[in-house]
Structures are given as structure tokens and as C-alpha cells.
Amino acid sequence: MVLLPADPLTALAHGIGSQHDLPISPFYAFAGAFTALFVSFLALALLWSTSRFRGDRSGLALPASLQRVADAPATRTALRGLGLALALAVLLHLLLGPDDPAHNPAPGAVYVLFWVGLVPASLLLGPVWRLLNPLRTLHRLFSRARRGGDGPDRPLPARLGQWPAAAGLFGFTWLELAAPDPASTTTLLIALATYTTAQLLLAARFGERWFDDGDAFETYSALLARLSPLGRRSDGRLVLRNPFHGLDATPERPGLVATVCVLLGSTAYDGFSDNPSWINALQTSPLGRTPTATLGLLGSIALVATLYALCAAATRLVSGPHPGPLTAFAHSLVPIALGYLIAHYFSLLVTEGPRTVSMALGTDNAPEPLPPLGPGALAALQVIAVVTGHVLGVVAAHDRSVRLFPPARAVAGQLPLLALMITYTVGGLGLLLN
């Protein structure tokens, strides 16, 4: 049975309502998952001996007229204006609306429409937040206002990479899952003001390119967009492509592993946070709820990262030396993270999303959210999303392995990655079915 909490604050604090006793047999779920992983691994080992993914060199070019419209200054200006207008609307609701998520659409806009809605938007349209990001627009406006008064932008340290984005994503997931009152208008105002100030100050120092890796949500959107069929080739041409090609083009940047592990670990903690034993631990902990929840969130992320680091070390030991074993296979974790996001947040988006929009449009009697699928269909969707994400991860890792290592060692080097995928699958399904 899927339980929808009566208090919207509970739903927003957890990201999704509690899930218990899903009507699907754990035996069949685990057996199907193991079968899918082993069959895909054996098929790849026997039939896939050379790398087939070409990264950002692939894709079927879309009509030039469509690209001209997409790249037109008027289109970009309209999208930037839309992003700024939506951000202003959320800010006004936070400042002037009631401090009650049942009657104020701002918390739902942040935690549902924005955070969860970026997943399907990025999958369908590419890195959309780069075009909508109001902080990037504000930086451009401020830069024009002070044009000529400052020197050239300072270069970004290469070792910084995506570490700022990883820290920002952790801060947001902490706000959602561990903060004392995440749906409070005061809490959201403080969080948004702090993040906005920090981002604009850093962009003033390093220039607009800061947002590419320094803004948590641009990085989040761009990472998910690697699996979008809509992308750009290295020559800038807008193309339709096999999503695996886009995934293969993921830059191996410092902080990439940390970013993906934050996504995986925080989603895993979200799934575990409504477990009765953990709720009891939060209520009885001498440290208090927030410190205990923070430690739980950190522990979940650390566990995901530790398992991946051990897997990378074992792969290097089996297959031979490689200068960057951690980042070389980090892209294979992206479809796994996507599978977890779909499994945990699909129900929230399709129930609370319309309700939030209804409130924003001024409907006083917004309808109570109803489950979009029956319990059995929802359980099947969640299991399929988790298993499919892991299978796609196996495919991406195998293609990278046969490119990096000699044929005799490429398949053997996949065994630690297969073990990692099985471990993640067991954990993911266990959180869904327990």
C-alpha cells in the first residue's frame, strides 16, 4: 500500500510519502534483478568486444532552421525572462504568502516542480536549467551595470571541478531531508538568500563560466541531460542521438564522483528515512532529530562513495593501472541515480505537482492528490526503474572498459563493477520493498 501523508509538510520534508508493503514479491523482484544483470553482463562479455559509443561526435543533425530558432537571441532572452519571472513569483509567495505549505505553493514549487521536475525536463530537452537559471540572468544584468569598472575574470582553479556543485547539492538535500522545518517560508527564504548571495559573489569573481560547474542545479540538470536524446555535437550542431553517446561524453572532472554519490546517497537516505526503526531512532536520539538525520544522510552518501571507491580500486587491480579509475567509470552511475530518482519521486511529481500549480493559480479548493497508478503498477514501475538503471550502468561501464583495457582484462575488470551493481540493486530494492 502506498501511503500519502495528510500533512503536506511531511511529504515535502521527505520528498515522497511513505511506502510500505508494496504488492510485489521480494523474491521475484530480486530474482528478476539478478537475472537482468547477469544476462546483460554475459551478453556484453560475449558480443561486445570493442567500444561503440562515440561521445559528443555522434548524432543525427536536426534541421538548420530548428537550430536557428533554438539559438536565436530572442529565444534565449525569452527563456531567461521566464526563469527570472518564475523565481520572482516563488519569492513573492515566500514573502507574502502564509507560512503553511497546504496554502502556499512556494514549498511545492521548490521541492516538487523545481527539484523533481528538472528530471523529466532535462531528460527530454537537455540541460534546460542553464537557459532558465535566474542567477545566471542576474549576473549578466549586474555585469552590464558595472561594465568597464572591473578587470578580467579570474581563472577557475582546475582542481575545483564540480566540487562546489557537489557541496551545493548536499546542502539542498540536507535542507529537504534533515533541516528542522524545510517547508517553512523563513527556512526557504534564508536558504535561497544564502545560496543566491554566494553564487553571485563567486560569479562576480570568476565570471559567468562559474555557473557551469559551480551552480548545483545547473550541474544536476546537465548530468541528467547526458541521457537525453537531444544534444549537441562537439561542433555545436543540435542533434538527435543515442543517449549512451551523450552519457559517454560526460567530462571526467574533479568532483564528478562526489556529485553522483550525493545524488545516490541522498536518494537512498530518503527511501530509508520513513522506515519505522529510523523514525524511532530520530525521535529517541540524545543528539536530537536534526543532528541525527544529518549523520544518517552523511553516512548514506559515504557508504555509496566507499563502495564505489573500493570497486574502482579492485578494477584497477584486476585490469591494470589507469590514471583515473574513479572518474573513468563515474558516468556509469548516472543511469543508476536516474533510476532511483524515478522510483522515489515519480509519485510525488504527478500528485503534488498539479496541486502546487493549482494553488499558484489561485484555486482555494485545490483537489487532494490522488495516486496516478494503482499500488501494483506503482511498485512495478519502481522496481523496473531501479533495475533498468543498473543494467544501463553495466552497459556504459562495459563499453568504457573495452576501450581502456586490453581485451583479455576488460571482461575481468568488469567483475568488481558487476558486484557493485548487484550491491546497489539489493540496497535499492530493499529500500523499496521493506
Side-chain angles (χ1 to χ4, degrees), residues 207-302:
E208 188 174 340
R209 64 183 177 277
W210 163 262
F211 295 105
D212 293 338
D213 289 323
D215 183 89
F217 306 105
E218 278 202 18
T219 301
Y220 171 61
S221 175
L223 200 58
L224 295 174
R226 291 292 170 185
L227 286 166
S228 172
L230 188 66
R232 288 186 185 270
R233 286 197 311 234
S234 54
D235 60 3
R237 192 65 188 268
L238 196 64
V239 297
L240 285 177
R241 66 188 180 188
N242 180 339
F244 277 114
H245 292 298
L247 184 62
D248 185 68
T250 304
E252 297 181 27
R253 306 289 308 282
L256 172 63
V257 175
T259 301
V260 181
C261 287
V262 168
L263 288 176
L264 280 171
S266 61
T267 309
Y269 176 77
D270 189 11
F272 179 72
S273 62
D274 61 0
N275 187 285
S277 61
W278 180 247
I279 294 175
N280 182 64
L282 291 176
Q283 294 173 344
T284 59
S285 172
L287 297 176
R289 179 194 173 277
T290 297
T292 304
T294 302
L295 290 176
L297 178 60
L298 285 170
S300 180
I301 295 171

Side-chain angles (χ1 to χ4, degrees), residues 123 144 169-170 206 216 245 265 271-272 299 302 355 362 383 402 415-416 424:
L123 283 177
R144 291 175 183 175
L169 286 173
F170 173 78
F206 296 111
H245 292 298
F272 179 72
R355 186 171 181 271
V383 171
V402 298
L415 293 175
Y424 283 168

Side-chain angles (χ1 to χ4, degrees), residues 336-415:
I336 299 174
L338 175 62
Y340 285 174
L341 289 169
I342 293 173
H344 283 273
Y345 296 131
F346 168 80
S347 179
L348 176 72
L349 179 62
V350 297
T351 55
E352 290 295 333
R355 186 171 181 271
T356 299
V357 173
S358 179
M359 276 195 292
L361 295 177
T363 303
D364 294 331
N365 56 342
E368 287 297 322
L370 297 175
L373 300 174
L378 181 59
L381 172 67
Q382 292 172 325
V383 171
I384 290 171
V386 170
V387 174
T388 301
H390 285 84
V391 171
L392 296 181
V394 169
V395 175
H398 178 82
D399 187 85
R400 183 63 57 87
S401 182
V402 298
R403 180 189 305 170
L404 296 177
F405 302 119
R409 295 183 177 181
V411 175
Q414 289 294 290
L415 293 175

Side-chain angles (χ1 to χ4, degrees), residues 93-121:
H93 279 292
L94 287 174
L95 291 172
L96 305 177
D99 192 8
D100 179 4
H103 300 93
N104 190 331
V110 173
Y111 293 121
V112 181
L113 297 180
F114 172 57
W115 174 245
V116 183
L118 265 183
V119 177

